[in-house]
Amino acid sequence: MGADDYITKPYNPMELVARVKSNLRRYLSLGSADTRKSSDNIEIGGLILDKTAKQLYVDGEPVRLTATEYKITEMLMENAGRVFSAEEIYSRVWNKV
């Protein structure tokens, strides 16, 4: 239900602090807190989705996607940080359950 890590008792307080810092670093590096959206582009970390040209760039390099791959990528980037079930992806991308 959203857990990325766990720690058992008894635990070392320094380990707890290290794990919290690690999770925060991972959260910030994946772009969930650094997501920029404009009407034409969505930027997350090194990814740029140009919605006008329907093109994905990774670190400035264009990536070829099929139409379905583009729809899935667009849906995920528009909802950064959210987890989707397979059924929800099917219903949103293919408009069926």
Side-chain angles (χ1 to χ4, degrees):
M1 296 296 169
D4 287 334
D5 198 357
Y6 71 94
I7 191 167
T8 59
K9 290 182 183 180
Y11 61 87
N12 181 338
M14 296 301 289
E15 182 181 357
L16 177 64
V17 171
R19 287 183 185 225
V20 169
K21 285 182 180 179
S22 173
N23 280 311
L24 286 172
R25 186 173 47 251
R26 186 172 40 238
Y27 177 79
L28 294 173
S29 72
L30 291 176
S32 295
D34 183 26
T35 302
R36 285 177 250 143
K37 293 182 185 178
S38 69
S39 59
D40 298 333
N41 293 337
I42 302 173
E43 295 182 42
I44 301 175
L47 302 175
I48 300 172
L49 186 71
D50 184 344
K51 293 169 64 175
T52 303
K54 302 224 182 276
Q55 179 66 55
L56 175 68
Y57 297 91
V58 177
D59 296 328
E61 297 292 323
V63 176
R64 296 186 61 157
L65 298 173
T66 65
T68 303
E69 290 169 339
Y70 175 83
K71 288 179 186 177
I72 293 170
T73 303
E74 181 180 33
M75 181 194 72
L76 293 173
M77 289 182 74
E78 285 179 343
N79 298 283
R82 181 161 179 235
V83 177
F84 292 92
S85 67
E87 293 81 18
E88 193 170 3
I89 293 172
Y90 284 124
S91 80
R92 286 175 172 245
V93 173
W94 285 277
N95 297 320
K96 56 183 161 182
V97 177

